[in-house]
């Protein structure tokens, strides 16, 4: 019989509960932010380097209230959904705070979405308004909207009636310092702001009626099959997660955090924006989209003390030809997350970027997102080999995927999370919600993990990514970590591909270090005698990049599909 959770730790099972010494925030995001402003209105709150904008906490509050007033002026009411389709800028942060202030639900639209995807997202959650960039590089956002809603050309702002976007009434586009030309049927963001009044009494009246368990954010999960699901998050979800993330980093009012990760993703808006705002720290956006040189320049110019990124971002910064020119000595902390963090990359970040107190975080959008994180005091060997321990006020357990029983410590199984961070649910999809969150409130992550005797969690792969070769369970993460040690390997991803004899075989895609030209024989020779024969990749390909999402997550299914196409493989019935 399954041991009770109370005795699970003593019984050596993979269960742990976070500390509860620091109480949860039970305010709304707007009320908490107003309190933080009162503590230090003259402290620096935001630097948007590419926009040449700087705001103190007091100045930011004034702009947030102006925008909140303007949104109410559009006829929006608490609970209404408003989308934002944009890369990083000051307007994004204003939208995040202003919508929360008056109970609107901010819907994060992936900047990589195209017409069919944005049409699905806007209609799925019933967005009444949308704030968008005009364009970015080769993406013409206004052009896509006009394709979806040709009625924009003749509609008065706020009175759109579109056949394909039936609930959308208003489109606002982010102009450059108010200098953009008028667009038929659309409001400029600067025009919208001009309609707001920071002293509008409606703001406080609306705020007084809000609860911290109200939804304020919808984020679409980047599923590999089917349509994306809208993870719905509350004030309580994301505000507390931001608080405890910042606590792990020891953030304070003197800190300046460089945020090159996308704001539309939890990494940017929670691990970045809210971690800063809950600690009175300053937010620094180096550019609208990721550019390693802009990051290095911003860290030096703004004397940043923290830096976030996914492993591929840190690799790009470390390997930039001008890396040695920059003074990064002010850095001390940050977060590496978003995908498995290679041990060798972590060591270089600590040594060469002065990030001695960098932390590792693990989570998923559905858990607001962080469940486990290392701290600035976590020993380096634990920081480079685990994702830390369970966050405060949360529980984690590792279960056998089939039986549901908690496995002994050291044994792999599915990681589950329970507590304040678990999402409100998938918007308009009760069935999918019940599939992910069980009757006892546990979120089933789909990730394979182990827990050691001290409670440190290690993610060993996705249940779907695990390779079964000739009856042997093989975890690609283990092989990737080994191959990162090869002196000519910069980055590597390992997947399983169908095989008639063994069910599945291993394939490694390798990015070589600049100037290096390793061969397949070099890689295999490096493996010989060091790892089991069945873990040595049968297929090795040298590439210059990996398919990935905007947030830097590697899309392994695309690697697998590419190899199946190259090799003419079909799925094996024994895989």
């Amino acid at each position: 019989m399954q041991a009770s959770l109370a005795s699970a730790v003593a019984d050596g099972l993979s269960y742990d509960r976070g500390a509860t010494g620091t109480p949860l925030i039970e305010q709304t995001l707007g009320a908490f932010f107003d309190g933080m402003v009162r503590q230090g209105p003259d402290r620096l709150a935001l630097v948007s380097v590419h926009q040449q904008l700087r705001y103190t906490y007091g100045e930011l509050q004034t702009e947030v209230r102006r925008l909140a007033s303007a949104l109410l002026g559009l006829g929006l009411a608490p609970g209404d959904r408003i989308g934002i389709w944009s890369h990083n800028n000051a307007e994004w942060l204003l939208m995040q705070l202003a919508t929360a202030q008056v109970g609107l639900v901010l819907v994060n639209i992936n900047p990589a979405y195209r017409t069919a995807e944005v049409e699905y997202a806007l209609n799925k959650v019933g967005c009444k308004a949308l704030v968008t960039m005009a364009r970015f590089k080769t993406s013409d956002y206004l052009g896509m909207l006009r394709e979806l809603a040709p009625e924009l050309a003749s509609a008065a702002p706020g009175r759109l009636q579109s056949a394909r976007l039936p609930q959308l009434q208003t489109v606002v586009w982010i102009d450059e310092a108010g200098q953009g030309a008028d667009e038929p049927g659309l409001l400029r963001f600067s025009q919208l702001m001009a309609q707001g009044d920071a002293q509008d009494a409606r703001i406080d009246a609306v705020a007084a009626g809000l609860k911290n368990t109200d939804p304020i954010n919808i984020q679409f999960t980047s599923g590999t099959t089917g349509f994306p699901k809208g993870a719905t998050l509350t004030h309580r979800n994301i505000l507390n997660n931001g608080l405890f993330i910042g606590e792990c980093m020891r953030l304070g009012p003197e800190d300046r955090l460089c945020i090159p990760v996308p704001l539309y993703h939890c990494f940017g808006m929670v691990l970045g924006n809210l971690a800063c705002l809950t600690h009175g720290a300053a937010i620094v956006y180096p550019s609208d989209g990721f550019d390693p040189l802009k990051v290095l320049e911003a860290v030096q110019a703004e004397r940043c003390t923290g830096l976030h990124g996914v492993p591929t971002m840190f690799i790009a910064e470390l390997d930039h030809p001008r890396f040695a020119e920059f003074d990064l000595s002010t850095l001390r902390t940050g977060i590496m997350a978003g995908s498995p963090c290679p041990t060798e990359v972590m060591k270089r970040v600590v040594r060469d970027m002065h990030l001695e107190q960098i932390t590792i975080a693990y989570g998923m959008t559905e858990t607001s997102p962080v469940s486990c994180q290392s701290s600035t005091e976590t020993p380096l060997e634990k920081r480079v080999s685990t994702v830390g321990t369970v966050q405060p006020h949360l529980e984690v357990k590792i279960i056998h995927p089939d039986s549901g029983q908690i496995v002994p410590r050291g044994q792999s199984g599915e990681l589950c999370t329970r507590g304040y961070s678990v999402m409100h649910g998938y918007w308009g999809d009760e069935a999918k919600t019940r599939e992910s969150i069980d009757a006892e409130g546990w979120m089933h992550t789909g990730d394979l993990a182990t827990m050691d005797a001290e409670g440190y969690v290690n993610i060993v792969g996705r249940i779907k990514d695990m390779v079964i070769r000739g009856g042997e369970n093989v975890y690609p993460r283990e092989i990737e970590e080994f191959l990162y040690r090869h002196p000519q390997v910069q980055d590597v991803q390992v997947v399983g591909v169908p095989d008639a004899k063994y069910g599945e075989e291993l394939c490694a895609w390798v990015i070589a270090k600049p100037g290096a030209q390793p061969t397949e024989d070099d890689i295999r020779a490096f493996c010989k005698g060091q790892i089991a024969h069945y873990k040595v990749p049968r297929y090795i390909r040298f590439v210059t990049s990996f398919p990935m999402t905007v947030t830097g997550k590697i899309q392994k299914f695309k690697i697998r599909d590419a190899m199946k196409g190259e090799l003419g493989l079909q799925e094996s019935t024994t895989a």
Side-chain angles (χ1 to χ4, degrees):
M1 182 177 177
Q2 181 80 345
S4 70
L5 294 179
S7 62
V9 177
D11 292 342
L13 297 179
S14 299
Y15 166 84
D16 204 3
R17 179 192 294 269
T20 56
T22 301
L24 289 168
I25 299 169
E26 299 296 358
Q27 296 171 283
T28 62
L29 174 51
F32 184 89
F33 174 66
D34 288 344
M36 188 59 68
V37 173
R38 288 192 292 272
Q39 291 181 33
D42 297 326
R43 288 200 302 251
L44 182 66
L46 172 66
V47 180
S48 183
V49 177
H50 59 290
Q51 295 175 290
Q52 299 182 325
L53 289 175
R54 306 177 79 85
Y55 292 116
T56 65
Y57 270 81
E59 291 167 341
L60 181 61
Q61 182 188 47
T62 297
E63 294 303 290
V64 166
R65 289 181 65 89
R66 284 180 63 205
L67 179 55
S69 170
L71 295 175
L72 292 176
L74 292 177
L76 297 173
D80 285 344
R81 277 76 66 201
I82 176 170
I84 182 162
W85 194 19
S86 172
H87 285 276
N88 295 9
N89 47 44
E91 290 83 359
W92 216 109
L93 178 62
L94 292 177
M95 283 288 292
Q96 182 180 358
L97 293 173
T99 51
Q101 190 87 43
V102 290
L104 302 176
V105 181
L106 184 68
V107 181
N108 300 8
I109 309 292
N110 187 330
Y113 275 7
R114 292 301 176 258
T115 50
E117 296 158 317
V118 76
E119 178 183 14
Y120 171 82
L122 293 174
N123 288 335
K124 174 66 179 177
V125 302
C127 281
K128 287 188 176 181
L130 174 67
V131 173
T132 179
M133 294 182 80
R135 57 195 56 82
F136 183 79
K137 295 183 178 177
T138 60
S139 299
D140 182 358
Y141 298 109
L142 295 185
M144 284 184 268
L145 286 171
R146 293 195 186 285
E147 180 182 338
L148 285 171
E151 301 92 343
L152 275 169
S154 57
R159 298 184 180 278
L160 174 64
Q161 292 182 315
S162 167
R164 292 179 66 178
L165 302 173
Q167 296 178 78
L168 188 64
Q169 299 170 3
T170 303
V171 176
V172 180
W173 66 285
I174 300 170
D175 50 332
E176 297 181 6
Q179 299 303 308
D182 286 339
E183 292 274 351
L186 285 73
L187 272 176
R188 286 190 275 138
F189 195 88
S190 58
Q191 291 174 321
L192 178 66
M193 290 292 289
Q195 297 172 9
D197 176 7
Q199 304 303 317
D200 190 338
R202 295 177 300 174
I203 300 171
D204 297 320
V206 170
L210 303 179
K211 303 188 300 295
N212 72 330
T213 52
D214 293 336
I216 56 167
N217 183 225
I218 296 174
Q219 302 195 31
F220 286 95
T221 58
S222 51
T224 58
T225 59
F227 288 107
K229 300 182 291 291
T232 306
L233 306 174
T234 67
H235 297 265
R236 195 172 189 259
N237 286 152
I238 60 177
L239 184 56
N240 281 292
N241 212 242
L243 170 69
F244 292 116
I245 288 162
E247 291 291 289
C248 280
M249 298 167 61
R250 288 190 173 179
L251 284 183
E254 70 286 350
D255 282 304
R256 296 184 177 195
L257 178 62
C258 184
I259 305 174
V261 293
L263 296 178
Y264 90 86
H265 187 270
C266 266
F267 201 166
M269 68 167 287
V270 180
L271 284 75
N273 289 350
L274 293 184
C276 287
L277 295 177
T278 52
H279 293 82
I283 294 164
V284 178
Y285 301 147
S287 53
D288 39 14
F290 176 66
D291 181 327
L293 181 59
K294 297 295 185 185
V295 172
L296 297 171
E297 290 173 342
V299 168
Q300 176 175 274
E302 298 297 333
R303 300 188 62 76
C304 294
T305 57
L307 174 62
H308 283 358
V310 298
T312 51
M313 289 180 174
F314 282 105
I315 290 169
E317 292 150 12
L318 286 161
D319 291 339
H320 193 277
R322 293 182 56 193
F323 177 80
E325 296 177 24
F326 294 94
D327 178 5
L328 309 180
S329 60
T330 57
L331 288 175
R332 67 167 186 87
T333 190
I335 295 175
M336 190 187 297
S339 60
C341 306
T343 300
E344 292 306 311
V345 174
M346 184 66 163
K347 289 178 178 177
R348 289 179 66 196
V349 165
V350 170
R351 181 185 67 236
D352 300 338
M353 300 183 79
H354 306 280
L355 286 163
E356 290 85 1
Q357 296 181 359
I358 193 169
T359 70
I360 296 292
Y362 161 81
M364 61 190 307
T365 305
E366 290 88 339
T367 55
S368 305
V370 173
S371 301
C372 298
Q373 188 175 355
S374 60
S375 73
T376 58
E377 297 176 347
T378 301
L380 182 61
E381 65 270 18
K382 293 288 190 182
R383 270 188 282 159
V384 300
S385 61
T386 76
V387 293
T389 56
V390 61
Q391 278 264 19
H393 294 276
L394 297 178
E395 299 171 88
V396 294
K397 66 178 180 178
I398 298 173
I399 63 171
H400 191 284
D402 297 324
S403 71
Q405 300 293 298
I406 302 177
V407 302
R409 294 208 175 192
Q411 184 174 320
S412 68
E414 183 183 18
L415 181 66
C416 300
T417 301
R418 182 167 69 176
Y420 78 84
S421 71
V422 175
M423 67 175 177
H424 188 74
Y426 291 121
W427 186 273
D429 201 333
E430 184 61 32
K432 290 293 185 183
T433 301
R434 288 197 302 268
E435 285 178 18
S436 299
I437 305 172
D438 66 26
E440 295 180 336
W442 290 97
M443 178 75 207
H444 291 248
T445 68
D447 285 320
L448 289 167
T450 60
M451 181 184 293
D452 69 14
E454 297 175 271
Y456 284 94
V457 174
N458 184 31
I459 305 300
V460 297
R462 293 284 296 170
I463 291 176
K464 295 177 182 177
D465 288 343
M466 186 179 73
V467 177
I468 304 176
R469 182 192 182 277
E472 296 280 1
N473 291 351
V474 183
Y475 301 107
R477 171 77 187 277
E478 176 190 354
I479 301 164
E480 290 163 359
E481 288 287 354
F482 174 74
L483 292 178
Y484 273 117
R485 302 177 195 170
H486 192 291
Q488 293 182 300
V489 170
Q490 181 186 78
D491 209 350
V492 59
Q493 295 294 317
V494 174
V495 300
V497 295
D499 182 77
K501 181 177 181 181
Y502 292 105
E504 285 183 288
E505 274 285 10
L506 292 169
C507 169
W509 275 24
V510 176
I511 296 177
K513 288 184 176 178
Q517 293 183 314
T519 65
E520 292 185 36
D521 288 342
D522 291 335
I523 301 298
R524 292 195 178 92
F526 185 73
C527 297
K528 188 175 182 180
Q530 300 297 312
I531 57 176
H533 69 91
Y534 62 84
K535 296 180 182 179
V536 179
R538 177 178 176 184
Y539 305 106
I540 299 169
R541 298 292 183 268
F542 295 98
V543 297
T544 56
S545 64
F546 302 129
M548 63 178 64
T549 67
V550 175
T551 57
K553 288 187 177 181
I554 309 297
Q555 296 174 303
K556 285 195 170 186
F557 72 97
K558 289 190 176 181
I559 297 176
R560 179 181 170 92
D561 288 347
M563 289 304 300
K564 285 164 57 181
E566 175 189 330
L567 300 169
L569 298 172
Q570 300 294 321
E571 293 290 347
S572 168
T573 56
T574 61

